[in-house]
């Protein structure tokens, strides 16, 4: 975990961007589904931090939770592809104003999120919390 944080810091430095330029947003889960079926009885959310041409799942403070990062596609500026809580080859698709997020998981599920103010007790991604409680 510490090695990943060092790697991400070096990546930011090499990209010519300072950590102070990072922007962290909170996205509340609104639904998920597959093949036209939607489950709206959901809770939780994700902190996503943007830095230059990458984004990653983070804590409230913008520190990576260690699940990897996604790179912005050159030909689609609101689409990021890479590793996340759902595994490798996860795709994040944001609205142009970053008001919504669709996560296309490798297993075919699509998760819908809306940008909002985080709950006061939210400190990290809810999916990471659930995974940690099973470890």
């Amino acid at each position: 975990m510490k090695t990943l944080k060092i790697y991400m810091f070096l990546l930011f430095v090499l990209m010519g961007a300072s950590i102070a330029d990072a922007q962290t947003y909170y996205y509340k889960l609104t639904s998920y589904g597959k093949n036209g079926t939607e489950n709206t009885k959901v809770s939780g959310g994700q902190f996503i931090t943007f830095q230059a041409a990458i984004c990653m799942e983070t804590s409230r403070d913008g520190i990576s939770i260690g699940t990897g990062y996604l790179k912005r596609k050159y030909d689609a500026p609101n689409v990021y592809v890479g590793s996340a809580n759902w595994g490798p080859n996860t795709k994040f698709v944001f609205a142009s104003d970053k008001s919504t997020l669709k996560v296309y998981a490798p297993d075919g599920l699509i998760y819908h999120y809306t940008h909002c103010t985080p709950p006061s007790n939210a400190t990290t991604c809810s999916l990471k919390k659930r995974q940690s409680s099973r470890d």
Side-chain angles (χ1 to χ4, degrees), residues 30-97:
T30 58
S31 67
Y32 71 93
K34 187 176 190 177
N35 299 329
T37 59
E38 290 290 313
N39 180 354
T40 57
K41 294 181 181 180
V42 295
S43 63
Q46 303 290 97
F47 287 99
I48 306 291
T49 297
F50 296 88
Q51 177 69 42
I54 66 168
C55 72
M56 67 185 120
E57 297 162 301
T58 66
S59 68
R60 177 186 286 269
D61 299 324
I63 298 170
S64 172
I65 62 168
T67 56
Y69 65 93
L70 298 91
K71 295 190 310 186
R72 185 174 59 217
K73 291 189 68 152
Y74 176 74
D75 59 345
N78 297 314
V79 178
Y80 293 74
V81 179
S83 290
N85 251 320
W86 296 271
N89 300 315
T90 297
K91 180 167 65 169
F92 285 7
V93 178
F94 294 91
S96 59
D97 63 356

